[in-house]
């Protein structure tokens, strides 16, 4: 069997919140329980918000939590560089192999075009389906242009280890999506596909908020002749109001807990309990103590709450 390679890829745009920390823990446990290699990658595609200081703090916090990695920006490895901001040539090569076109539409123009077409707005926070405005040539040649992929027709099916069988017709439900933005920044969808293949990643454990990205990425993998990893999208941690856990619920970030002198084993125990991997009687645990009994089938299938009052003694 092919050796298991897992990865965790936080964006260095701020401090790690507890939801991200739990995803990192679960990705690490999945790879280590299979005797696999674990890769740390920095997804610093946003040049305005990504900071090296944030990156260093995140790595320090994850080590404090008890995680380690075999490859990464601070330890090196055979598949570097491990910062996406340093991997542009890999994305250029992949882009050149795909059928793309220049698009000068703004988000507002796309939304208005979609509404005019069928009088149905895109859901709040979601991008409208691309209507093909610039497929035959950019409508505003004087503007900087993004590069969109001419998405092939057909449905994408895949089995998620947690969410089950999923399918999507990307061409119809998403449309020709952006691979490189007009400001020359690389799109997440292309970068993650290229990097996972280059680093030999065989399994991806990440938050359920990225589940809808998977069909696009699988379609790109197939078009580029790249292997498709297995996927496991873990449900999010939510606050008492059912919304995604954040500061408004009083949730501290990982750095705040570390700086307050909290025992990291308490944090690991709380995260593991929220994922369904630990009983209520366990007040603290080191990540390595969870490896032997780790079973992805035990991971909660629904969003769960986190017992914030148990984190600080």
């Amino acid at each position: 069997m092919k050796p298991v390679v897992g990865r965790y890829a936080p964006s260095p745009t701020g401090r790690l919140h507890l939801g991200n920390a739990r995803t990192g823990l679960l990705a690490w446990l999945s790879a280590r329980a299979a005797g696999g290699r674990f890769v740390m990658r920095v997804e610093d595609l946003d040049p305005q918000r990504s900071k090296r200081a944030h990156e260093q703090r995140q790595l320090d916090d994850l080590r404090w939590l008890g995680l380690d990695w075999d490859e990464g920006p601070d330890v090196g490895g055979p598949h570097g560089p491990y910062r996406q901001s340093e991997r542009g040539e890999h994305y250029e090569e992949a882009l050149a192999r795909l059928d793309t076109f220049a698009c000068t539409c703004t988000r507002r123009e796309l939304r208005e075009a979609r509404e005019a077409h069928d009088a149905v707005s895109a859901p709040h926070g979601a991008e409208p389906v691309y209507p093909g405005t610039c497929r035959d040539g950019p409508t505003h040649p004087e503007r900087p242009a993004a590069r969109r992929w001419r998405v092939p027709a057909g449905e994408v099916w895949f089995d998620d280890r947690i969410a089950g069988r999923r399918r999507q017709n990307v061409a119809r439900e998403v449309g020709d999506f952006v691979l490189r933005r007009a400001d020359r920044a690389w799109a997440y969808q292309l970068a993650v596909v290229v990097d996972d293949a280059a680093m030999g990643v065989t399994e991806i454990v990440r938050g359920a908020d990225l589940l809808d990205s998977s069909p696009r990425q699988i379609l790109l993998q197939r078009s580029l002749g790249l292997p498709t990893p297995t996927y496991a999208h873990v449900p999010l941690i939510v606050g008492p109001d059912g919304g995604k856990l954040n500061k408004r619920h009083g949730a501290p970030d990982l750095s705040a807990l570390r700086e307050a002198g909290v025992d990291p084993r308490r944090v690991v125990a709380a995260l593991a309990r929220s994922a369904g991997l630990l009983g209520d009687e366990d007040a603290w645990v080191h990540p390595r103590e969870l490896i032997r009994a780790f079973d992805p089938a035990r991971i909660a299938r629904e969003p769960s709450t986190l017992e914030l009052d148990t984190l600080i003694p």
Side-chain angles (χ1 to χ4, degrees), residues 58-139:
Q58 290 180 354
L59 296 179
D60 290 345
D61 288 344
L62 291 167
R63 279 208 172 88
W64 169 78
L65 200 63
L67 306 188
D68 63 351
W69 40 93
D70 305 292
E71 301 178 38
D74 56 340
V75 299
H79 304 99
Y82 295 93
R83 295 184 184 93
Q84 289 188 324
S85 60
E86 300 171 358
R87 299 183 58 80
E89 62 187 68
H90 299 276
Y91 311 145
E92 289 277 10
E93 189 274 336
L95 187 71
R97 294 164 54 195
L98 297 167
D99 183 8
T100 65
F101 61 92
C103 176
T104 55
C105 298
T106 65
R107 284 176 178 265
R108 179 178 178 179
E109 288 169 344
L110 291 175
R111 188 172 293 108
E112 290 174 347
R114 178 65 177 176
E115 292 172 358
H117 180 264
D118 59 12
V120 177
S121 301
H124 178 68
E127 291 187 36
V129 176
Y130 181 68
T133 310
C134 292
R135 260 186 165 242
D136 296 325
T139 55

Side-chain angles (χ1 to χ4, degrees), residues 283-310:
W284 57 79
V285 67
H286 190 279
R288 291 203 172 274
E289 298 175 63
L290 296 170
I291 293 176
R292 177 172 293 184
F294 177 77
D295 180 357
R298 293 174 56 196
I299 296 176
R301 264 47 182 175
E302 299 294 334
S304 56
T305 58
L306 189 65
E307 302 158 2
L308 296 176
D309 58 341
T310 67

Side-chain angles (χ1 to χ4, degrees), residues 88-89 91-93 95 100-103 145-149 177-190:
E89 62 187 68
Y91 311 145
E92 289 277 10
E93 189 274 336
L95 187 71
T100 65
F101 61 92
C103 176
R147 298 299 305 184
R148 287 185 181 270
W149 183 35
F177 57 91
V178 172
L179 300 182
R180 191 169 196 174
R181 298 184 338 203
D183 63 2
R184 308 293 290 170
W186 293 101
Y188 165 78
Q189 307 294 353
L190 179 66

Side-chain angles (χ1 to χ4, degrees), residues 9-299:
S11 299
T13 56
R15 297 189 175 198
L16 276 181
H17 60 68
L18 292 170
N20 280 340
R22 189 182 72 164
T23 300
L25 172 65
L26 294 175
W28 181 87
L29 283 171
S30 183
R32 293 305 192 210
R37 180 163 52 89
F38 193 63
V39 178
M40 181 66 63
R41 188 171 71 229
V42 178
E43 294 194 344
D44 56 346
L45 290 173
D46 188 331
Q48 279 73 46
R49 299 176 61 213
S50 297
K51 307 293 181 186
R52 285 292 178 90
H54 294 325
E55 173 191 317
Q56 188 60 55
R57 181 184 290 273
Q58 290 180 354
L59 296 179
D60 290 345
D61 288 344
L62 291 167
R63 279 208 172 88
W64 169 78
L65 200 63
L67 306 188
D68 63 351
W69 40 93
D70 305 292
E71 301 178 38
D74 56 340
V75 299
H79 304 99
Y82 295 93
R83 295 184 184 93
Q84 289 188 324
S85 60
E86 300 171 358
R87 299 183 58 80
E89 62 187 68
H90 299 276
Y91 311 145
E92 289 277 10
E93 189 274 336
L95 187 71
R97 294 164 54 195
L98 297 167
D99 183 8
T100 65
F101 61 92
C103 176
T104 55
C105 298
T106 65
R107 284 176 178 265
R108 179 178 178 179
E109 288 169 344
L110 291 175
R111 188 172 293 108
E112 290 174 347
R114 178 65 177 176
E115 292 172 358
H117 180 264
D118 59 12
V120 177
S121 301
H124 178 68
E127 291 187 36
V129 176
Y130 181 68
T133 310
C134 292
R135 260 186 165 242
D136 296 325
T139 55
H140 298 278
E142 73 282 1
R143 295 179 183 171
R147 298 299 305 184
R148 287 185 181 270
W149 183 35
R150 296 182 194 272
V151 174
E155 286 191 325
V156 174
W157 292 72
F158 73 101
D159 290 308
D160 188 272
R161 291 162 61 193
I162 293 178
R165 174 151 289 196
R166 313 289 292 194
R167 68 175 181 177
Q168 185 182 67
N169 187 313
V170 180
R172 187 175 65 232
E173 298 176 46
V174 178
D176 301 328
F177 57 91
V178 172
L179 300 182
R180 191 169 196 174
R181 298 184 338 203
D183 63 2
R184 308 293 290 170
W186 293 101
Y188 165 78
Q189 307 294 353
L190 179 66
V192 71
V193 164
V194 171
D195 291 344
D196 283 338
M199 296 174 187
V201 173
T202 64
E203 66 170 33
I204 294 172
V205 178
R206 60 188 181 188
D209 52 336
L210 292 172
L211 180 59
D212 289 342
S213 293
S214 298
R216 278 172 275 180
Q217 292 165 19
I218 292 171
L219 204 56
L220 279 169
Q221 290 157 1
R222 293 173 181 173
S223 296
L224 291 168
L226 302 177
T228 294
T230 63
Y231 289 93
H233 288 85
V234 299
L236 303 179
I237 300 177
V238 298
D241 59 358
K244 187 175 179 180
L245 184 71
N246 57 34
K247 289 183 179 179
R248 78 170 182 274
H249 300 114
D253 57 61
L254 211 56
S255 287
L257 294 171
R258 177 163 67 98
E259 291 162 1
V262 175
D263 190 325
R265 295 174 300 172
R266 283 186 174 273
V267 182
V268 173
L271 296 175
R273 278 196 301 273
S274 74
L277 301 181
L278 207 61
D280 294 338
E281 69 280 2
D282 298 298
W284 57 79
V285 67
H286 190 279
R288 291 203 172 274
E289 298 175 63
L290 296 170
I291 293 176
R292 177 172 293 184
F294 177 77
D295 180 357
R298 293 174 56 196
I299 296 176

